[in-house]
Amino acid sequence: MDSSEKDKIFITFDGPIIVGAGPSGIAVAACLQENGIPSLVLERSDCIASLWQHKTYDRLKLHLPKHFCELPLFGYPKNFPKYPSKNQFISYMVAYAKHFNIVPKFNQLVEKAEFDGENGVWRVSTQDCVYVSRWLVVATGENAEAVVPEIQGVEKFEGVVKHTSEYKSGCEFKDQRVLVVGCGNSGMEVSLDLCRYNASPFMVVRNSVSSSSFSSLIFFNGQQTQSQALSGYLLDKRSTPRVTRVHHQFQGKPGNPPARRHDGEITGKTRLAQGSNPGFPGSPIIVHQCLTLHQVGVELASLKRNASPPPLDLEIIGIFIIIIMFFSVCVKVHVLPREMFGFTTFGIAMALLKWLPLRVVDRLILFMASLTLGNTDKLGLKRPKTGPIELKNATGKTPVLDTGALSLIKSGNIKVVEQGVRELTRNGARFMDGQEIAFDSIVLATGYKSNVPFWLKGSDFFTDDGMPKTPFPNGWKGENGLYTVGFTRRGLLGTTCDALKIAKDVTDQWRNLTSNSKHEFRLKSCNGQ
């Protein structure tokens, strides 16, 4: 027994333990309940769907029609509109849990979950209890924690800085100049909401470079000089220098640097043979983003001093890196109309995919979007070369479904800032081109991330980013009774698909167990009664 567990109450449960009472966790519990299998849902917050209830803005609606967002076995009320509001979706979740008699144990923060190989069970430790079960379902999802970037100078800024997880309404920013960092669905909708309250939103569509956010990193022949890596640049010298933005957590295994390129995104860990490093043909140099030129100089000097034989063109590479640091990286985003010609864009895409190849569907969707929205590149919203559906499947990057923000960008009410933020000042922000603009407040529409690596121990089923290593549709099941739901990057449709699979698999095992031995339901309360 772990010393940290000595004073905790042990609870043995015959059914699966589900971590997370969001839509994913509740859906699995419902599917199990339908098959007569009990489950224990642990939730760190005080309610179901806590992200929706506590960390979403008031104007939020489902981006897709409700029939694409139903949980299994229980649909929306018929009187709900095509795109239910935040409060309507929450009421649906509450009714769903009540219908299947799902009562989670709230305020149970999972500190650690680990498989006990000796006894063949999972031990899930919270602040006051240790739960033991044969099965563990990870249902904390892709959006468990807010991503809050470290921005240089944030301590100097005298205004309000908040993540969209804290943003409720534009009423608190009335008549203000607001910098919105991020141009995804949240960034667009927050900017639109701010305009309703006569605020002036400035939306950043370039990645900001911050020396406090990133440490430098260099690979030589697959050898990693530092252990951390969150993003960086791959410098590849063929006939002309190229730069590829890298989004990955590197394992640092000699001779096996990650990376298949997919329109500027790294989507897998494969040997990178196409790159070249001057002086070391075939091996890449990967240099972390950093703001200060001094850091770049130190790393390059160290490389030149220690490499044998020394690289030939480090000075040229150094100049190239400096140029990259100055201009930062353009974030490319697909903006699509939510509806086209009276039909939902998502519905059109799903119908076309039944008959046509994915890339053909992408081309058709983009052609129809251009007829509806015009050329978004002219507004500073550059499109990726990869189509929206292919990019979503490969990287999880969701296209923006326009709900009115684009017309306000065209009219100038929402201003698009194509320069990345270099640093915050006392009264605003200084951008990569040196320009300084005054702002009253800053909203970070920088998204969310999985928190699985912080509490799931001893399992290699997840990446360092907290996503299953096996992609959809086979990422729902691990070893030793481990399951995942809510990590498909396909919204509630993916959740429904995985929830049904998990319930069937557990039910088959349950019936085998009960046919071989008397299986009694045991559950003790946290106070031991």
Side-chain angles (χ1 to χ4, degrees):
M1 180 187 300
D2 192 311
S3 59
S4 64
E5 298 177 346
K6 286 196 299 185
D7 298 327
K8 297 182 179 180
I9 299 169
F10 275 71
I11 299 174
T12 300
F13 192 78
D14 281 359
I17 293 174
I18 301 171
V19 181
S24 298
I26 297 299
V28 174
C31 292
L32 289 168
Q33 181 72 16
E34 190 73 0
N35 292 338
I37 312 298
S39 61
L40 176 62
V41 182
L42 303 179
E43 168 57 42
R44 64 179 175 178
S45 186
D46 59 355
C47 61
I48 65 170
S50 62
L51 179 66
W52 279 82
Q53 297 211 44
H54 295 324
K55 297 185 178 182
T56 52
Y57 38 91
D58 295 340
R59 67 163 283 117
L60 179 64
K61 293 184 178 181
L62 293 182
H63 291 127
L64 303 181
K66 61 184 179 182
H67 63 276
F68 289 117
C69 301
E70 286 183 346
L71 296 181
L73 310 174
F74 188 81
Y76 288 95
K78 292 182 179 179
N79 64 337
F80 272 29
K82 181 188 291 186
Y83 301 99
S85 68
K86 165 185 173 177
N87 290 334
Q88 287 171 326
F89 181 75
I90 292 170
S91 69
Y92 167 66
M93 286 297 305
V94 172
Y96 189 90
K98 184 177 180 180
H99 178 80
F100 292 101
N101 195 30
I102 300 167
V103 183
K105 296 188 75 66
F106 296 116
N107 301 308
Q108 290 291 290
L109 176 63
V110 174
E111 299 170 344
K112 183 174 71 171
E114 194 167 17
F115 185 70
D116 180 351
E118 185 176 342
N119 296 302
V121 295
W122 286 91
R123 298 160 69 94
V124 182
S125 180
T126 67
Q127 70 273 21
D128 49 16
C129 295
V130 177
Y131 300 92
V132 180
S133 173
R134 187 184 300 269
W135 301 283
L136 173 66
V137 181
V138 178
T140 47
E142 307 159 8
N143 303 315
E145 304 290 345
V147 174
V148 181
E150 296 179 33
I151 303 178
Q152 185 169 340
V154 67
E155 72 283 352
K156 302 176 187 176
F157 184 64
E158 294 182 349
V160 172
V161 179
K162 62 171 55 181
H163 189 269
T164 48
S165 59
E166 302 172 306
Y167 179 96
K168 294 301 178 186
S169 167
C171 65
E172 60 180 301
F173 301 96
K174 188 176 182 180
D175 299 323
Q176 292 187 15
R177 292 164 61 87
V178 183
L179 179 65
V180 179
V181 180
C183 59
N185 279 296
S186 293
M188 289 281 196
E189 291 204 0
V190 165
S191 297
L192 177 61
D193 189 55
L194 287 166
C195 288
R196 294 172 56 201
Y197 294 91
N198 204 37
S200 299
F202 292 68
M203 187 173 65
V204 174
V205 296
R206 278 183 180 263
N207 277 357
S208 302
V209 179
S210 171
S211 60
S212 60
S213 301
F214 304 109
S215 60
S216 58
L217 169 81
I218 294 183
F219 273 91
F220 259 3
N221 288 335
Q223 299 289 341
Q224 186 174 346
T225 63
Q226 292 192 18
S227 61
Q228 293 184 350
L230 291 176
S231 65
Y233 293 101
L234 167 65
L235 275 71
D236 167 10
K237 185 182 179 186
R238 288 179 176 174
S239 56
T240 57
R242 293 191 298 111
V243 66
T244 299
R245 184 74 195 283
V246 175
H247 284 283
H248 205 84
Q249 287 214 340
F250 303 113
Q251 300 302 310
K253 295 180 181 178
N256 188 29
R260 179 166 60 84
R261 181 175 183 268
H262 190 97
D263 195 46
E265 301 280 348
I266 292 299
T267 60
K269 296 176 186 175
T270 58
R271 184 177 299 277
L272 193 149
Q274 76 273 20
S276 66
N277 162 11
F280 296 95
S283 69
I285 298 178
I286 298 178
V287 183
H288 242 261
Q289 289 186 42
C290 50
L291 180 60
T292 64
L293 302 184
H294 171 73
Q295 288 176 291
V296 179
V298 168
E299 290 293 347
L300 291 175
S302 174
L303 279 171
K304 189 169 184 179
R305 182 172 61 252
N306 297 329
S308 177
L312 301 178
D313 299 326
L314 277 178
E315 290 83 0
I316 297 175
I317 294 173
I319 294 171
F320 193 41
I321 295 172
I322 290 170
I323 294 171
I324 296 165
M325 297 303 163
F326 182 79
F327 287 105
S328 75
V329 180
C330 179
V331 174
K332 296 184 178 182
V333 60
H334 281 297
V335 181
L336 305 176
R338 187 164 66 171
E339 296 190 352
M340 295 188 290
F341 314 116
F343 300 95
T344 67
T345 301
F346 187 78
I348 293 172
M350 292 300 101
L352 290 175
L353 283 171
K354 294 178 181 178
W355 306 99
L356 299 173
L358 184 148
R359 291 188 178 182
V360 174
V361 174
D362 267 341
R363 292 192 189 101
L364 288 172
I365 292 295
L366 289 176
F367 174 72
M368 290 187 286
S370 68
L371 294 177
T372 306
L373 303 178
N375 186 355
T376 60
D377 284 17
K378 294 181 179 179
L379 303 175
L381 301 170
K382 311 292 185 183
R383 290 195 184 277
K385 292 180 180 179
T386 307
I389 303 173
E390 184 180 0
L391 191 63
K392 171 67 174 174
N393 290 346
T395 69
K397 189 174 183 179
T398 303
V400 173
L401 294 177
D402 179 49
T403 57
L406 206 61
S407 64
L408 294 179
I409 292 174
K410 292 177 180 178
S411 67
N413 294 84
I414 298 174
K415 295 175 176 60
V416 173
V417 183
E418 296 188 61
Q419 290 291 326
V421 178
R422 175 181 289 182
E423 63 178 341
L424 299 186
T425 62
R426 186 169 64 88
N427 298 316
R430 183 174 291 111
F431 295 89
M432 296 306 297
D433 61 356
Q435 180 185 17
E436 184 174 345
I437 302 177
F439 296 106
D440 300 298
S441 301
I442 298 173
V443 178
L444 303 174
T446 46
Y448 294 84
K449 63 181 180 181
S450 166
N451 66 3
V452 174
F454 295 103
W455 56 269
L456 183 63
K457 306 301 180 183
S459 171
D460 62 355
F461 186 73
F462 286 85
T463 66
D464 292 340
D465 293 327
M467 298 295 291
K469 292 180 180 178
T470 306
F472 180 85
N474 300 312
W476 58 278
K477 183 179 180 180
E479 296 180 344
N480 302 319
L482 177 67
Y483 298 93
T484 72
V485 61
F487 295 89
T488 64
R489 290 174 169 156
R490 284 163 173 77
L492 294 177
L493 278 176
T495 289
T496 294
C497 179
D498 283 354
L500 291 168
K501 290 178 182 177
I502 292 169
K504 182 181 184 305
D505 198 67
V506 172
T507 300
D508 290 343
Q509 296 177 54
W510 178 276
R511 287 171 179 167
N512 287 334
L513 288 169
T514 54
S515 64
N516 295 329
S517 62
K518 186 177 180 180
H519 212 60
E520 296 180 353
F521 170 68
R522 304 184 303 274
L523 174 61
K524 301 175 184 177
S525 66
C526 251
N527 58 17
Q529 296 178 349

